[in-house]
Amino acid sequence: MPTTSAFYIGGPEVMLRIRGMEITAERGTGRMQTGPWLADPDAGIARGALGVALDDVTGYLVDSGSPHGQWPVSLGIRMDFIADPALDGSPLDLSGELVVRYDGGAMSRGVATDASGATIATMIQRSHLVSAPGTPGDHATPELLSAPESPVREQLGLRTSTPDRLTMAPTPLSANGMGSVHGGILVCSSELAAMTAIEAGGRFRTASVDIVYVRACIASETTTFTSEIVHRGRSLSVVRVVSSNSPGRASSIATVVLQRI
């Protein structure tokens, strides 16, 4: 089995300035730069964007210890958020570690800390192994290497068709090395869909996202995020968000908990 893993740069990593990944079969580290692209008119701060970085640092270490010809696919991710990331360009430190490997899969966990060393987000990821249909590769084009500073919502082209529905047109900014929408992008977009559904207007922050991946979400197709408000109170809201490429065929199902600030 390999003891180290290549790290493939794609549109999500370029958009969120994720760099310096060092991965082994047991641990992973890296950095993500903060900036104005994390601001959002509804969410205030797109905390869910950290899902891309933590998915990378917890997922690639599973790949590093996996048999040749197999690739880890996330079954589910649980993220908890403690504080907002900054918008001033300071880096976030990322760390991931293996919890356990078992026949056909693994569990890993990750932490994002700010410039002061304070924890601002955590992740638990459960993965299973599938036969890799091809070799993942870098998908970052020269145009993407100078990513704009506009909000993530705008860069991904998320559009509101109705208050409970967002659509994302095909974009290389959403794709992982296998051509699917990055699991962290589904976390981030589900968060933004939930915030839009409750018309948060920056008055709420995401406390947690619990997401299950039920089938691949194809990045070359339009992705729809449909929200259902499960609970709406003065200080706490719970929203269920389903992503899909085709009506009636879910790709991910997320439960997003939002707290008033």
Side-chain angles (χ1 to χ4, degrees), residues 55-73:
D55 185 11
D56 284 347
V57 81
T58 58
Y60 274 99
L61 65 85
V62 176
D63 173 54
S64 183
S66 299
H68 180 72
Q70 292 193 303
W71 182 255
V73 175

mmCIF file of all heavy atoms in Angstrom, residues 55-73:
data_model
loop_
_atom_site.group_PDB
_atom_site.id
_atom_site.type_symbol
_atom_site.label_atom_id
_atom_site.label_comp_id
_atom_site.label_asym_id
_atom_site.label_seq_id
_atom_site.Cartn_x
_atom_site.Cartn_y
_atom_site.Cartn_z
ATOM 1 N N ASP A 55 -12.417 18.401 3.978
ATOM 2 C CA ASP A 55 -12.657 17.191 3.187
ATOM 3 C C ASP A 55 -11.353 16.733 2.545
ATOM 4 O O ASP A 55 -11.023 15.536 2.536
ATOM 5 C CB ASP A 55 -13.712 17.481 2.125
ATOM 6 C CG ASP A 55 -14.107 16.240 1.326
ATOM 7 O OD1 ASP A 55 -13.739 15.121 1.718
ATOM 8 O OD2 ASP A 55 -14.803 16.398 0.311
ATOM 9 N N ASP A 56 -10.574 17.671 2.015
ATOM 10 C CA ASP A 56 -9.285 17.327 1.411
ATOM 11 C C ASP A 56 -8.335 16.702 2.430
ATOM 12 O O ASP A 56 -7.741 15.645 2.191
ATOM 13 C CB ASP A 56 -8.622 18.569 0.807
ATOM 14 C CG ASP A 56 -9.238 18.995 -0.512
ATOM 15 O OD1 ASP A 56 -10.008 18.223 -1.103
ATOM 16 O OD2 ASP A 56 -8.939 20.124 -0.965
ATOM 17 N N VAL A 57 -8.172 17.354 3.574
ATOM 18 C CA VAL A 57 -7.153 16.911 4.530
ATOM 19 C C VAL A 57 -7.549 15.614 5.227
ATOM 20 O O VAL A 57 -6.682 14.848 5.665
ATOM 21 C CB VAL A 57 -6.839 18.035 5.540
ATOM 22 C CG1 VAL A 57 -7.865 18.120 6.653
ATOM 23 C CG2 VAL A 57 -5.438 17.909 6.105
ATOM 24 N N THR A 58 -8.858 15.321 5.303
ATOM 25 C CA THR A 58 -9.293 14.055 5.904
ATOM 26 C C THR A 58 -9.481 12.957 4.868
ATOM 27 O O THR A 58 -9.371 11.771 5.193
ATOM 28 C CB THR A 58 -10.611 14.231 6.683
ATOM 29 O OG1 THR A 58 -11.627 14.728 5.796
ATOM 30 C CG2 THR A 58 -10.438 15.176 7.848
ATOM 31 N N GLY A 59 -9.736 13.330 3.614
ATOM 32 C CA GLY A 59 -9.974 12.330 2.579
ATOM 33 C C GLY A 59 -8.710 11.787 1.946
ATOM 34 O O GLY A 59 -8.601 10.578 1.687
ATOM 35 N N TYR A 60 -7.737 12.654 1.715
ATOM 36 C CA TYR A 60 -6.516 12.208 1.045
ATOM 37 C C TYR A 60 -5.678 11.273 1.918
ATOM 38 O O TYR A 60 -4.953 10.427 1.396
ATOM 39 C CB TYR A 60 -5.686 13.410 0.596
ATOM 40 C CG TYR A 60 -6.108 13.918 -0.764
ATOM 41 C CD1 TYR A 60 -6.955 15.011 -0.890
ATOM 42 C CD2 TYR A 60 -5.673 13.295 -1.933
ATOM 43 C CE1 TYR A 60 -7.358 15.472 -2.129
ATOM 44 C CE2 TYR A 60 -6.065 13.745 -3.183
ATOM 45 C CZ TYR A 60 -6.907 14.833 -3.278
ATOM 46 O OH TYR A 60 -7.318 15.280 -4.516
ATOM 47 N N LEU A 61 -5.776 11.405 3.250
ATOM 48 C CA LEU A 61 -5.019 10.472 4.078
ATOM 49 C C LEU A 61 -5.616 9.067 3.993
ATOM 50 O O LEU A 61 -4.892 8.071 4.104
ATOM 51 C CB LEU A 61 -4.923 10.966 5.521
ATOM 52 C CG LEU A 61 -6.177 11.078 6.386
ATOM 53 C CD1 LEU A 61 -6.522 9.759 7.056
ATOM 54 C CD2 LEU A 61 -5.974 12.155 7.454
ATOM 55 N N VAL A 62 -6.939 8.978 3.759
ATOM 56 C CA VAL A 62 -7.547 7.663 3.547
ATOM 57 C C VAL A 62 -7.029 7.066 2.238
ATOM 58 O O VAL A 62 -6.662 5.892 2.174
ATOM 59 C CB VAL A 62 -9.082 7.764 3.523
ATOM 60 C CG1 VAL A 62 -9.708 6.407 3.193
ATOM 61 C CG2 VAL A 62 -9.608 8.280 4.861
ATOM 62 N N ASP A 63 -6.942 7.894 1.199
ATOM 63 C CA ASP A 63 -6.394 7.434 -0.077
ATOM 64 C C ASP A 63 -4.959 6.954 0.074
ATOM 65 O O ASP A 63 -4.555 5.944 -0.520
ATOM 66 C CB ASP A 63 -6.460 8.571 -1.097
ATOM 67 C CG ASP A 63 -5.749 8.230 -2.400
ATOM 68 O OD1 ASP A 63 -6.068 7.183 -2.996
ATOM 69 O OD2 ASP A 63 -4.858 9.001 -2.803
ATOM 70 N N SER A 64 -4.197 7.662 0.901
ATOM 71 C CA SER A 64 -2.787 7.340 1.046
ATOM 72 C C SER A 64 -2.559 5.932 1.573
ATOM 73 O O SER A 64 -1.564 5.295 1.232
ATOM 74 C CB SER A 64 -2.124 8.357 1.985
ATOM 75 O OG SER A 64 -0.745 8.114 2.088
ATOM 76 N N GLY A 65 -3.472 5.435 2.380
ATOM 77 C CA GLY A 65 -3.312 4.094 2.937
ATOM 78 C C GLY A 65 -4.189 3.053 2.274
ATOM 79 O O GLY A 65 -4.353 1.957 2.804
ATOM 80 N N SER A 66 -4.762 3.384 1.100
ATOM 81 C CA SER A 66 -5.683 2.468 0.432
ATOM 82 C C SER A 66 -4.965 1.636 -0.631
ATOM 83 O O SER A 66 -3.961 2.078 -1.196
ATOM 84 C CB SER A 66 -6.822 3.260 -0.221
ATOM 85 O OG SER A 66 -7.559 3.978 0.741
ATOM 86 N N PRO A 67 -5.459 0.439 -0.929
ATOM 87 C CA PRO A 67 -4.844 -0.403 -1.953
ATOM 88 C C PRO A 67 -4.839 0.274 -3.317
ATOM 89 O O PRO A 67 -5.720 1.085 -3.630
ATOM 90 C CB PRO A 67 -5.738 -1.654 -1.970
ATOM 91 C CG PRO A 67 -6.422 -1.657 -0.646
ATOM 92 C CD PRO A 67 -6.609 -0.216 -0.279
ATOM 93 N N HIS A 68 -3.843 -0.070 -4.124
ATOM 94 C CA HIS A 68 -3.739 0.485 -5.470
ATOM 95 C C HIS A 68 -5.004 0.161 -6.262
ATOM 96 O O HIS A 68 -5.533 -0.943 -6.199
ATOM 97 C CB HIS A 68 -2.515 -0.086 -6.183
ATOM 98 C CG HIS A 68 -2.339 0.449 -7.569
ATOM 99 N ND1 HIS A 68 -1.932 1.742 -7.813
ATOM 100 C CD2 HIS A 68 -2.545 -0.132 -8.790
ATOM 101 C CE1 HIS A 68 -1.874 1.931 -9.120
ATOM 102 N NE2 HIS A 68 -2.239 0.804 -9.728
ATOM 103 N N GLY A 69 -5.494 1.158 -7.005
ATOM 104 C CA GLY A 69 -6.672 0.948 -7.832
ATOM 105 C C GLY A 69 -7.987 1.211 -7.136
ATOM 106 O O GLY A 69 -9.041 1.082 -7.744
ATOM 107 N N GLN A 70 -7.917 1.592 -5.851
ATOM 108 C CA GLN A 70 -9.129 1.935 -5.121
ATOM 109 C C GLN A 70 -9.071 3.391 -4.686
ATOM 110 O O GLN A 70 -7.992 3.940 -4.441
ATOM 111 C CB GLN A 70 -9.317 1.021 -3.909
ATOM 112 C CG GLN A 70 -9.619 -0.422 -4.289
ATOM 113 C CD GLN A 70 -10.107 -1.219 -3.115
ATOM 114 O OE1 GLN A 70 -9.438 -1.320 -2.094
ATOM 115 N NE2 GLN A 70 -11.292 -1.805 -3.250
ATOM 116 N N TRP A 71 -10.229 4.013 -4.600
ATOM 117 C CA TRP A 71 -10.329 5.437 -4.315
ATOM 118 C C TRP A 71 -11.392 5.635 -3.238
ATOM 119 O O TRP A 71 -12.476 5.053 -3.317
ATOM 120 C CB TRP A 71 -10.710 6.187 -5.594
ATOM 121 C CG TRP A 71 -10.800 7.671 -5.456
ATOM 122 C CD1 TRP A 71 -11.937 8.431 -5.397
ATOM 123 C CD2 TRP A 71 -9.713 8.600 -5.370
ATOM 124 N NE1 TRP A 71 -11.634 9.754 -5.276
ATOM 125 C CE2 TRP A 71 -10.275 9.897 -5.258
ATOM 126 C CE3 TRP A 71 -8.328 8.458 -5.375
ATOM 127 C CZ2 TRP A 71 -9.486 11.040 -5.143
ATOM 128 C CZ3 TRP A 71 -7.538 9.609 -5.251
ATOM 129 C CH2 TRP A 71 -8.119 10.875 -5.153
ATOM 130 N N PRO A 72 -11.117 6.445 -2.202
ATOM 131 C CA PRO A 72 -12.118 6.652 -1.158
ATOM 132 C C PRO A 72 -13.218 7.614 -1.610
ATOM 133 O O PRO A 72 -12.941 8.670 -2.181
ATOM 134 C CB PRO A 72 -11.301 7.247 -0.005
ATOM 135 C CG PRO A 72 -10.144 7.920 -0.667
ATOM 136 C CD PRO A 72 -9.837 7.118 -1.897
ATOM 137 N N VAL A 73 -14.442 7.237 -1.369
ATOM 138 C CA VAL A 73 -15.605 8.076 -1.648
ATOM 139 C C VAL A 73 -16.319 8.321 -0.333
ATOM 140 O O VAL A 73 -16.559 7.389 0.441
ATOM 141 C CB VAL A 73 -16.551 7.390 -2.656
ATOM 142 C CG1 VAL A 73 -17.822 8.215 -2.851
ATOM 143 C CG2 VAL A 73 -15.843 7.175 -3.984
#
